[in-house]
Amino acid sequence: MDKERKMMIFCLLLAAISSPVFTEEWKATVVKQLDTVVSSCVVVPCSFSHPKENLPTSRLRAIWHRSNKRDERIYYEDNTMVLENFRGRTRLLGHLGQGNCSLEINGIKDHDNGPFCFRIELARTEKDTSTVDKFSFVEDCAELKMLPDPPQPTLIHQKTATQGLPFIVTCSVRHTCPTHVPELTWNRGTPEGITKNHREIHPGNWEVQSILTFIAEEKDDYNEITCTSEFHGGKTSSKSLTLYVKRTQNYNHIIIPTVVGISTALIFAIFCIFMVKKYKQKIYPWVDPENVGRSTYRFFDTTVTIEVSDRAQKPDIMISGDMKVGRSVTVQCSVYHTCPTYPPTLSLNVKLQRHSLTHSSMSDGTHKTTLTTILDIEKDHQTVECSVRHTGSLSATASKTLNAECSFSPLTIQSTSNEFLEGQASKVTCTALYTCPQHHPTITWNYGSMPASTSTNKRRNASWSTVSTLTFTASASDHGRSLTCYARFTGGQMQEKSINLQVKRNMLSRGWSFTTPGTITGMRGSCIVIPCKFTYSASQPAGLQVIWYLYQSNEYPPVFDKGQTVISKFLGITSLIGPVEKGNCSLKIDRLEMSFNQDRFYPWVDVNPITSYHTLGHTFYDKTSQIIVLDHAQEPLLNIIGIPVVGKQSRVSCNVQHTCIFRPPILTLNGIQGEDTIIDTLVSDGIWKRTVERIWIVQEEDQIVRCTVRYHGSQTATSELRLNVECPYEEIEMTDRPGEETEGVAKNVTCSVSYKCKQNTPTIEWNYKDMQSSLKTQKTSSNTYSAVSNLTFIGSLGDDGKSLTCTAQFITGKTSDSAPLHIKKYEEPAEEKDSHENEDGSFHVLAADVPFRFSALTQSCVVIPCSFKYQEDVPLSRGIWSKKIGGIIYHNGRSLVLDHFKDRTRLLGDLNEGDCTLEIDDIKPFDNGPFCFHAERGNDKYRFNNSCVFIVMKASPEKPVMTPVPAEVDAGSTINVSCSVTHTCRSHPPVFSWSVPNLTSEVKHTWTPQGISETTSTITFMAAGGDGVKNLTCTATYWLERQQTSTTVKPAVRGDHYGIDYPGDTTKTGRDLLGQKNGGPFGADFPGEKRKNVLPGRMRGNRRGLTGADFQVFFKFVLLLLFFVVSSVCFPVLICAAYLCFPVLICAAMLCVANPCLFPALFLNNTTTVNSKPRFPSPKE
C-alpha cells in the first residue's frame, strides 16, 4: 500500500471519528415546508448556531443547494457558480454573523419545489478565503409546495348591516413572502376608512389584513363588497359578500302586519272553537285520597286541556355546511311530539352516513326527536325529503331543495420529467377536475401543432376529470418558454395553467465531434494514452476545458477534470496530452490497474456541462474507448534481416508494441554480441512500437538469439529465433595440375578449398576413386578453415583426353574443379651410363634379358623377370638391383638398401642359374624406377645390357574374365564355368570366390616368359530350381585384400528341380542359381530354414515327360478305389468283420497318403518336409 493511500485512509477514519462531534455543535433550523404562489416569491426562514466565538459575516460563506446534488447551487455569493436557472432570483436575508441564513427566492417557477438545503463554510481568515470547516444540514431542508393560483381572501363581517350605523368588514390573506406583501384593495370605501395590518402567524407564514369601515345606507342593501388581493408577480384573487341592510323602524311595518294577523286569527279562532267543542277535553290532578268526587270542588282554573289532532305535523329540515357539489353537508330532520315513550320514527330519502338520532325535552312539556346525517352533494340541484311516522300511524313528509354550487379545481400539468429532451417525444397531461358533468371542458394547448388526445372519466361521486395528453417534442429553442394548457368549461368559465420548459439538448446537436479508438490495450503497471481529436462544425470556442468521463448508463463520473474532483481510483493518474486549442483531447492514464480492465471512457469538450444534454436515443457507448488491461506480456517479434553468414556483418531486430511512450518497455537481446540501436515509432493512434536492432559479426557458435521484453509492471516475455547461420565456402581450386604425364607415373595433384565453420568440413572426392588420396583440414583464421586433398594420380593410356575432377561436398552444396589429362606412352630411353660403373671405366659387360617396361598394381607386389646367360667360368657372388639414377633397392647386405625399399625386395632366382628375377612387395605409386640389375664377384663389377626396367603403375586391378555361360539353363543341369585374371605378382596370386557353391573347384596358375601371370578358377555346379534370372559372380581378391574386383553374369533358369540337398555357403548373393537364400545346390534346405513343400506336377518349362509326382497322384487314386471296393464286399458279408476291417483300411489309406516315402521308387524326385536333415550320398557316391 503506497503512502498516498495510507494518508487517505487515515483522513477518512479521522473524519468518521470527528463528524459526530461537529454535527452536535453546529445546528440549523429551517422551515421544512412552505406554500408559495407561482410567479410570486418566498422567504425560507433559516437560523443556525455554532460553538465558536462570534464570527463576522466576512468569514462565513452561505450555500443553498439541491438536497441530492451539492454541486447544483441555487445561492452562492459567487453568482457564476449558481445554477443558471436561479441566477438573479435568490438572495440571502439577514446577517450570517447573527446566525440568520434566511433565503428569498423571487419569481417562483412551478419546478422550484426543492428540497433545498443550507450549507455553511468557514474561511480561515477574512483575507484567506480558503475554507477550514464545512457543514451541510441535509436533514433540515426546505420543500416548497407550488400553488398555481393564489389563495382567496377571507372575509369576516356581521350578518346584517343596520341603516345609519357603522359596518365593519375584515379581509385577510396568508402568504410566505414578507419582503413583497400582497396588496389588498376594496371595491368601495375611502382610504380613511381602511386600516391595514401585517403579522406573522407562525414561522414562514404571514397574514395581511385590511379592515373596511363605512356607514350602511339603504341603497347599500343587496350590494356586493369585494376584496381583491394582488400578489407579487401579478396574480390576483378576490372574495365578495352581499350586504343586507336593516332599515330604521316605523309604523307602517307594524300596522300592516297587525291587521293581517288579526284577520287571520279570527278565522283560525272560529275553526278552533269548532274543533275544541268536538275534541277538547279538560283534565286535572287530585292527590287527596279522602275527598274524591264530582261535587266536592271544581278545579276548572287549574285543569290541563288536551288537544288531540288527527293530522301529523310536518318535520323540520335544516341543511348546514358548504353548499358545493362534492362537498359534505349536515342534514337535520326534527319533529316535536308529546310521547317520549313512543317517539315517532324519522326517515330521509338520502343515504345515512355517520347518522345519529337524538331526543330532547322542551320547556313546554313537548319533546323533540332529531335525525342527523352527513350528505355528500352529488348534484347541483337535489331534493331532500324527511318523513315522520307516529305511533298512531299518522305520518307527514317535508322536503327541501338543495341548490349546490358547481366547483372547479385549478388545472394541473404533469410531465414524465422536470426536463424535456430535445428531439424526444414525451407525454404531458393537463387535468381539469370539476364536480358537475354538464360543465365538460374543452382543453387546448399553446403548442397546437403537436398531437393531443382527450379523455373524460368519473373519478368518484361528484368528481369528474378531463385529461388532455399532449405528445410534446421539444426543440432547443423551446428552452425557457412556457407550455400552457387552456380549459373552457361549458358554463363559460376559463382556466389556464403553464409550466416553464427546461429542455436538455441532444448530444447529436452539440455542434462538435471527436474521434477515439474503439479499444486500446495496455499492460498493468504501465501507462496508456488514449488518442483523441475533436472538431467543431463552427468556430471553436475559446477557453475550452476537456473533461473525460467513465462510461456509465445513468451517471457521469469524471476521470479527468481540472474544475472538479475525479473519482477516487483515477485520482492523480490522469492528464491531458497535447494542446486543446489545436483540437487535441488525448488522455494519459498512469499506472494501469487490473480494475481498469474493460472500462470505457469518452471526452467532453463542450462549453456547457454534460448534464445539460441528454443521450436518449444516442449514447456515447459506440464512441467510447475501451481499455483492455493485460497482466501477461506478449512475446516480442524477432526478425533477422537477410541470412546470417559466418564472418560477415548481420543485423537482427526485436520489436514490441505498447501504449506508453513515456515509460516504454525494456528490450534486451541475448545470444549474440554487438551494438544496439533503439528506435521508437508511432504505429497508429495510441500504439507505439519500440525496436532494438543489433549489428554483429556472425560467428559459427551463434545458434540462437533471444529477445526479452520487460514492462514496468514486472511482466516479462521472451522470444527465441534460431539463426541457422550460413557457412560459406569458396570455389575449390586444383593446384599442381597434371600436365603431359607418362603412363604409370604417379603425379601428386592437390585440390584445396577455403570455408567457414568447422562443422561444415567437406569431403573431397576425385573422379578416380581407386587412386590413393588424403584429406587434411586446418584452421587458417577466425572461423576460417581450409581443406586440402592430395591425390596420387597414376595415368593410363586410356585416360588420355579425359578430365581429372575434384569435388568438395559441403552440407549445403558442392564445388568442383577439373583439369584435362594428357597421357603419353613410356618409351625406352637411349642407353646411358650406369651410375654403378667403375669410375675408371673398368667394368665387365654381360648380356641380360629384362623387359624395359613392366606393369604393376599399386599396393600389391610385382615380380620383374630377369635372366642372363650364365657363364660357369664367371661365377657371380651377389646380384644388385638399383635405381638408374642411383640408390640400391636390393642388396644382400640390408644396410646398403635404401630405407624406402628395405624388407620389400628379394631375388627369386638363382644367379648360378642365370636367374635374376626381382620381387618388390607392397609396391608404392612412385616406385617406377627405372631399376637396373648389376652383379659382383669379389671386387669385380658386372654390368648387363638390357637390364633396366621401368614399372608402369596401375591404380586399378584387371577385371576377371568369365567363360561364356548359356543365356538359358534348365533347373538341375550341371554347368562348368571358369574365371581368369592376369597379374604381375605370381608370388601372391589373387584368390577367387564365387557367389554359388560348387560341386568341383580347380585353380590353375600360368605365366608367360614375359612375366605376365594368369590365375584361373574353374568350378562345376548345378543350377537350382525356380524360374527367373539368377546372378553368377566371381570375385578376385588381391594380395593383402587391399583390392578386389568381380564379374557377374545373369543367366535365366527354367523350371524346378528336385534333387539332393548339399550344405550351402554363406555368400550374400540372395536367391542365386543354386536355390533359396542361404540354400545349398538344387534348392536344398539347411538347418534353421523352414521351406514349404512344392506340390508335384508338371511345371512350366519341364521337358522331361512324366515325373514322380504324376505317379504319386495315380497311386493315390488307385488306393482310394481299392478302399471302396473292399469296403463294399466286407460290409454285407461280415458285419462283425467290418468293425475290424474298416478301421484298418482307413488307417492304411491315411498312412500311405501321408507317407509317400514308403514308396521310394515312385517318389524319388519328391522333396522332403524339412526340419531334420537326412543323410546324403557324397558326390562320388
Side-chain angles (χ1 to χ4, degrees), residues 100-126:
N100 191 342
C101 52
S102 300
L103 175 71
E104 179 194 65
I105 304 176
N106 199 1
I108 292 294
K109 302 180 184 299
D110 58 356
H111 55 271
D112 296 341
N113 53 336
F116 302 118
C117 303
F118 175 65
R119 175 181 174 86
I120 187 72
E121 296 180 353
L122 177 61
R124 295 182 181 274
T125 62
E126 295 182 3

Side-chain angles (χ1 to χ4, degrees), residues 1029-1106:
V1029 176
K1030 311 299 180 180
N1031 291 332
L1032 175 61
T1033 303
C1034 78
T1035 301
T1037 302
Y1038 290 81
W1039 183 50
L1040 301 179
E1041 297 185 357
R1042 292 178 179 175
Q1043 293 183 347
Q1044 64 179 11
T1045 184
S1046 60
T1047 300
T1048 301
V1049 296
K1050 297 182 178 181
V1053 180
R1054 299 186 300 261
D1056 289 337
H1057 174 73
Y1058 301 92
I1060 301 175
D1061 292 340
Y1062 286 94
D1065 63 2
T1066 58
T1067 56
K1068 300 179 181 180
T1069 56
R1071 184 182 294 273
D1072 53 27
L1073 283 170
L1074 299 182
Q1076 304 291 337
K1077 179 180 179 182
N1078 294 333
F1082 318 109
D1085 294 344
F1086 295 95
E1089 180 179 358
K1090 296 182 179 180
R1091 181 180 176 192
K1092 297 182 180 178
N1093 288 333
V1094 181
L1095 292 176
R1098 294 183 180 272
M1099 306 301 291
R1100 181 171 56 86
N1102 192 345
R1103 302 177 183 177
R1104 295 168 294 161
L1106 293 176

Side-chain angles (χ1 to χ4, degrees), residues 997-1014:
N998 49 72
L999 299 177
T1000 61
S1001 175
E1002 180 183 0
V1003 177
K1004 184 173 65 173
H1005 304 283
T1006 60
W1007 54 87
T1008 63
Q1010 291 77 21
I1012 304 301
S1013 300
E1014 182 181 40

